[in-house]
Amino acid sequence: MQKIGVLLPRSTYYETISFDIYEGLKLGLEAIGEKDIKIVTENIGFGADKQQCYRSAEKLLLEENVSLVLAFIGHRTAELLRPLFLAANKILIVLDAGANLPNEWPTCPNIFYHSLHNSLGAWLTAQKASNDGYKKGAMVTGYYDGGYLHTYSISKSFEDAGGKIFFNHATGYKENDFTMEPLQNYINENSDSAFLSLFSGDFVQWYFKEIKSRFNNQNLPIYLTPFGFEETMIESAVFPSNLVSGIVSWSKKIENKENKIFIETIESSGRKPNLFSLISWEAASIIAKVLELLREQKNNIPKIASELQKFEFNGPRGKIYFDAKTNTTISDLYEARLIENNGMSEIELGKKIKNIKEEFDKLCQLSLNNVTSAWYNSYTCI
């Protein structure tokens, strides 16, 4: 029996994240007929402790002798693990929220990234705001979400499209510190601004509650990124404005047979489908391909990497394939907006973005100009 290792995180506001990732992977493997695989897990907390991540990965490789490792981490932690996986001659598959931008896009043959593309979604969200006619922008985020470089992606994209950021607000990360009061004076003088918003988890609900409370019936033009549209949080959020739109990486409303199977399978297990069960469900197809290539290529990692770069498959989001320059998956993204459902929020899915690969290439070529992030946490894990 083949063994695969999984580094599982924990989160205070996505309390089921480790179960979602595990169940998504297990059920995803079963769905494609891979039932003879043992999954061995190690918990890495919030993913911020570099030594804990290293020790957990090392244990899976040395003591458990797993064939490969799957991990919900970011680029910075993955780079710390690179020497370990090179020495072990094993493959690391990173489940990447896509919230950060690396200083250098990776090319290590031992590491592949399966991404939810929050930074790319942020890049496209800003373009949408510009295309909707907004030239003034206000950046609204929190202490936690604002620490990732999707902030640079959304602001740089807006500026490149001819807009200008006139206002920045980063609120606290606890509910009693969370306030949109500083927006009031700005809005009074700048009613023609787009609100480029970066929130995830509970923060989305708090944000909408504050907007509803302070700016009821003003219909502020709010633009969200993929994690801002995460449906398990959106469904419990009050409807804040008729002008909430942006980019989603996945929705239950995507109509294809793969999404239908994914949703029905996850729900039949007693769980709610979300971005975390989605990304591990999709990763099952990548894992199956890696295991096949390990047998065919007799553990020759450069050859395996070369073949994996050509791999593509259809998942709940649509077609998924690898960008060979960065070993990162490219997948469909969609426009979306919020509609009201009995006072609460609901996603209305829009058109599929057509030029994803071209926009991803632009993002990869973006100069960070010494902009950096201090967060090692797996995104959404605090």
Side-chain angles (χ1 to χ4, degrees):
M1 177 180 284
Q2 294 265 31
K3 280 200 293 186
I4 60 173
V6 185
L7 299 180
L8 292 172
R10 70 183 182 92
S11 170
T12 54
Y13 60 90
Y14 277 112
E15 294 179 348
T16 64
I17 187 171
S18 60
F19 296 95
D20 293 328
I21 292 171
Y22 180 86
E23 286 296 320
L25 175 61
K26 175 175 166 289
L27 295 172
L29 287 167
E30 291 176 0
I32 58 174
E34 296 287 348
K35 298 180 181 180
D36 195 28
I37 294 175
K38 182 179 180 180
I39 303 172
V40 184
T41 65
E42 283 286 316
N43 190 280
I44 55 170
F46 299 137
D49 186 332
K50 294 172 279 187
Q51 292 304 315
Q52 181 183 7
C53 291
Y54 191 96
R55 285 194 302 269
S56 295
E58 188 177 53
K59 181 180 179 182
L60 291 173
L61 293 170
L62 292 178
E63 296 181 22
E64 298 291 347
N65 192 30
V66 296
S67 298
L68 59 85
V69 173
L70 189 75
F72 188 78
I73 55 177
H75 283 91
R76 300 183 75 188
T77 302
E79 285 301 301
L80 290 173
L81 297 178
R82 179 169 63 172
L84 176 63
F85 281 83
L86 284 169
N89 199 42
K90 295 288 176 72
I91 294 252
L92 170 65
I93 299 172
V94 175
L95 301 181
D96 179 27
N100 248 337
L101 296 173
N103 289 317
E104 291 185 12
W105 287 90
T107 55
C108 175
N110 296 66
I111 305 178
F112 282 77
Y113 294 81
H114 182 41
S115 183
L116 290 168
H117 286 300
N118 207 58
S119 287
L120 180 57
W123 177 265
L124 294 166
T125 293
Q127 290 182 7
K128 186 179 187 306
S130 178
N131 291 337
D132 287 346
Y134 293 99
K135 297 305 175 187
K136 285 184 178 180
M139 272 278 296
V140 188
T141 185
Y143 169 81
Y144 175 70
D145 291 276
Y148 293 85
L149 294 185
H150 51 198
T151 51
Y152 185 67
S153 174
I154 200 168
S155 58
K156 186 67 167 66
S157 177
F158 191 66
E159 290 168 355
D160 286 354
K164 184 178 180 180
I165 304 296
F166 281 81
F167 184 79
N168 288 280
H169 175 52
T171 188
Y173 69 97
K174 295 182 178 179
E175 190 168 9
N176 57 358
D177 295 327
F178 194 98
T179 179
M180 291 297 126
E181 184 179 2
L183 269 64
Q184 290 180 305
N185 289 335
Y186 175 77
I187 289 171
N188 290 337
E189 299 174 3
N190 299 274
S191 59
D192 56 345
S193 281
F195 291 84
L196 308 176
S197 309
L198 287 161
F199 291 107
S200 60
D202 293 349
F203 302 123
V204 177
Q205 297 173 357
W206 302 347
Y207 181 40
F208 287 5
K209 183 180 177 182
E210 274 283 286
I211 295 296
K212 180 74 171 177
S213 173
R214 295 181 183 275
F215 310 106
N216 193 25
N217 298 322
Q218 291 192 39
N219 285 323
L220 300 186
I222 295 169
Y223 288 85
L224 298 177
T225 62
F227 268 86
F229 275 114
E230 203 284 303
E231 278 174 301
T232 59
M233 293 295 173
I234 284 288
E235 290 168 354
S236 301
V238 297
F239 183 72
S241 164
N242 288 320
L243 297 176
V244 181
S245 63
I247 303 296
V248 300
S249 55
W250 172 77
S251 167
K252 289 187 289 186
K253 295 189 175 181
I254 295 173
E255 295 183 359
N256 61 47
K257 67 176 182 180
E258 290 82 10
N259 200 32
K260 185 173 184 291
I261 292 169
F262 164 66
I263 293 168
E264 290 177 351
T265 305
I266 295 296
E267 288 180 342
S268 68
S269 74
R271 312 205 70 83
K272 286 185 176 182
N274 60 20
L275 289 175
F276 307 107
S277 53
L278 167 84
I279 195 173
S280 60
W281 171 281
E282 292 173 336
S285 294
I286 301 172
I287 288 169
K289 185 63 177 180
V290 171
L291 294 176
E292 175 190 314
L293 291 171
L294 284 169
R295 292 189 294 270
E296 289 179 359
Q297 303 297 338
K298 297 179 172 48
N299 294 316
N300 186 316
I301 295 298
K303 287 185 178 180
I304 291 168
S306 178
E307 290 301 313
L308 189 58
Q309 288 170 347
K310 304 171 189 174
F311 179 57
E312 59 182 54
F313 64 98
N314 290 319
R317 288 184 276 177
K319 180 181 175 182
I320 296 174
Y321 59 97
F322 281 98
D323 171 59
K325 291 181 181 178
T326 63
N327 286 356
T328 301
T329 54
I330 305 294
S331 55
D332 291 331
L333 294 170
Y334 300 81
E335 289 189 0
R337 71 183 189 98
L338 286 190
I339 56 175
E340 186 173 5
N341 185 351
N342 295 320
M344 307 304 282
S345 298
E346 181 181 332
I347 290 176
E348 182 178 82
L349 198 65
K351 65 183 180 182
K352 183 161 57 177
I353 305 297
K354 293 181 179 179
N355 56 338
I356 293 295
K357 180 61 167 62
E358 292 84 350
E359 295 299 332
F360 179 72
D361 288 342
K362 290 178 187 176
L363 196 66
C364 292
Q365 293 163 11
L366 193 64
S367 174
L368 296 184
N369 298 321
N370 297 318
V371 175
T372 188
S373 167
W375 293 148
Y376 275 90
N377 301 52
S378 305
Y379 185 57
T380 71
C381 296
I382 55 171

